[in-house]
Amino acid sequence: MTATRNHASVTSEGVAPARGESGYMAAAFTPRVLAGAFGLVAVVVLAGEAWAQLNSGAGQAGIMTTLWKWTPLILFGPKGEFGGFVLNIVVSFLAMAIGTISGLVLGLGLISKFGPVRSVAWAITQFFRNSPWLVLLFFVMLLTPFQIRILGLSIPLPAWLKATVGLALPIMANIAEIVRGAVNSIPTGQWESAESLAFSRLQTLWRIILPQCVKRMIPPWMNWYAILTMATPLISIVGVNDAMTLTQDALASEQRTDLLMPMYALLLLFFFVYCYPIARWTIRLERKYAVRI
Amino acid sequence: MTNAWTPDQPIVSIKDVHKSFGPVEVLKGVSFNVRKGEVVCIIGPSGSGKSTLLRCINALVPIEKGSITVEGQEVHDAALDKLELRKKVGMVFQSYNLFPHKTALENVMMAPIHVLKRPREEVEAQARRLIKKVRLEGKEDAYPGELSGGQQQRVAIARSLAMNPDIMLFDEVTAALDPETVKEVLVTIRELAEEGMTCMLVTHEMGFAREVGDHIYFTDRGIIVEHGPPATFFSNASDPRTRAFLSQIL
């Protein structure tokens, strides 16, 4: 049913693909998916509850109560501070923005007509695509100072910002590859006809090739966003108050082994609820744009 | 950059042009002249270098030896301003190559606005006239994907004309079309020819070449085997290769 509607919108290619996507949230969280996700958490919580009943003494709060108590902290961070799951999302947004813009530039370097530019862009891309994210993260944390001085003004560089840059680097390299692949996938006839109309190379890229690439790049771009978001707990290792760090803090202050599984299950649920719709939406867009040409 | 070209001299002059792709020599010394307002048809078997020759004229493909001048300007020149040359030479391709993300009207308007920097209102008025001229009135806002092959090819012709070129190159523009739509494209080209546009066509449409062409060139394996005005060329071909080719086609 949705497929036929997508076909209809494909024929008018320049039209913004706004139609039909408002309902994707509802479509992603079908009752079955919701039941599955919450069922999983419920099983973990109940198992923990049962185990607690067997082992613990009196005077302990129930697992649900405890989870509920910590939820605001894990989601929004300590009062008056920047942290929690919100920080993960902000870091993912920022890293994606930095990675996309720099990736676009790097990707254009990969298709440059000037050999040295192409070689340098290629080396950078390969390096950051094939390095473990965690190691890159440590590198950036250790390489950059905790504050910079500009005109006598010292600007502090908070750890989360440095971590964001660390995560943006591999994203940049992968976006560059997406750009290169998309540009190469445009038929050479487009270049030829633009050239014969006296468009310069830059004009051809900007006005003719890249606009056609956008649709092709969106699904893989969203895919990398989901991967990036799920990788944001890595920044907890370099001392940032993200949802992962706060979950561990909560566990440390509770000192209850029966909470381990339920707490991490809750954290998983947060990420799932955020990332699953993105994954569904990506698949939809992939199907939709696959029918083109 | 002094250009002493006057309209009574050949508008395109091709002298001993050689071009190789790797070990394959596609053009082995081709020479001929095209006068202003002339309609030249280049025919010949596939792989004889016809399309390559057209692409050399607007510098889409560089040549290795020889000389091509367009309005007196040498194309085989490292210092050539390719963009200036291409403003004078329009080209239409077999596969239309319209920009799929733009409407028919926008396709026609893009180059004059962005390349020639002409004012939008003026360009739009001209583009609407051109779309009318190729008989596509009402299709201005259609995207290429919504148009038939013949319609797309006519938009492509209008798109080239919008640059007000002095010469039009047509590279097998009807080869990808079905027989009924071939006609509508040929009608458009014939009208152009009648208006005095200098046209160079690579084509397999012998009937059209005979009817519209002022001069026919037959190429085979990178050389011009035979040429002449259509009346003599089609009835009195002397070279056996030309005869063999024509007997297969006609």
Side-chain angles (χ1 to χ4, degrees), chain B residues 155-214:
Chain B
V155 174
I157 294 173
R159 181 176 69 172
S160 272
L161 291 176
M163 293 290 281
N164 299 319
D166 297 337
I167 304 156
M168 286 287 287
L169 309 176
F170 296 90
D171 185 9
E172 298 193 36
V173 290
T174 56
L177 301 174
D178 53 80
E180 285 120 68
T181 46
V182 165
K183 209 179 158 198
E184 60 195 35
V185 174
L186 293 184
V187 166
T188 305
I189 299 175
R190 188 175 59 201
E191 284 174 0
L192 265 183
E194 284 164 0
E195 286 166 20
M197 173 68 78
T198 311
C199 296
M200 294 181 69
L201 297 101
V202 166
T203 185
H204 291 297
E205 298 289 331
M206 293 307 143
F208 183 71
R210 186 202 294 250
E211 180 194 351
V212 177
D214 295 316

Side-chain angles (χ1 to χ4, degrees), chain A residues 211-236:
Chain A
Q212 295 183 55
C213 290
V214 172
K215 279 184 181 179
R216 293 165 199 229
M217 292 190 298
I218 284 177
W221 180 82
M222 284 171 62
N223 197 27
W224 275 107
Y225 178 66
I227 292 171
L228 167 69
T229 308
M230 290 184 280
T232 52
L234 283 176
I235 64 177
S236 65

Side-chain angles (χ1 to χ4, degrees), chain A residues 2 7 19 21 24 30 36 60 62 68 78 87 94 97 108 120 128-129 156 162-163 166 208 235 238 265 286:
Chain A
T2 47
H7 274 291
R19 269 177 300 166
E21 254 136 44
Y24 93 95
T30 58
Q60 271 190 343
W68 188 246
L87 177 85
L94 266 179
L108 293 180
V120 170
F128 286 118
R129 275 189 87 197
K162 293 204 269 179
I208 290 148
I235 64 177
V238 290
E286 255 167 21

Side-chain angles (χ1 to χ4, degrees), chain A residues 92-107:
Chain A
S92 74
F93 273 175
L94 266 179
M96 200 64 196
I98 298 170
T100 302
I101 293 167
S102 51
L104 199 63
V105 174
L106 189 62

Side-chain angles (χ1 to χ4, degrees), chain A residues 253-269:
Chain A
S253 72
E254 285 285 346
Q255 291 288 338
R256 282 169 56 183
T257 43
D258 58 320
L259 277 177
L260 281 172
M261 292 289 277
M263 279 289 231
Y264 282 119
L266 183 68
L267 183 59
L268 282 177
L269 185 71

Side-chain angles (χ1 to χ4, degrees), chain A residues 113-137:
Chain A
K113 275 204 147 181
F114 189 49
V117 171
R118 217 166 43 233
S119 304
V120 170
W122 181 84
I124 296 174
T125 308
Q126 292 308 316
F127 179 78
F128 286 118
R129 275 189 87 197
N130 299 294
S131 304
W133 292 25
L134 187 56
V135 182
L136 282 178
L137 214 50

Side-chain angles (χ1 to χ4, degrees), chain A residues 29 33-34 37 267-277:
Chain A
F29 288 115
V33 171
L34 279 180
L267 183 59
L268 282 177
L269 185 71
F270 291 155
F271 277 97
F272 179 84
V273 167
Y274 185 75
C275 290
Y276 180 71

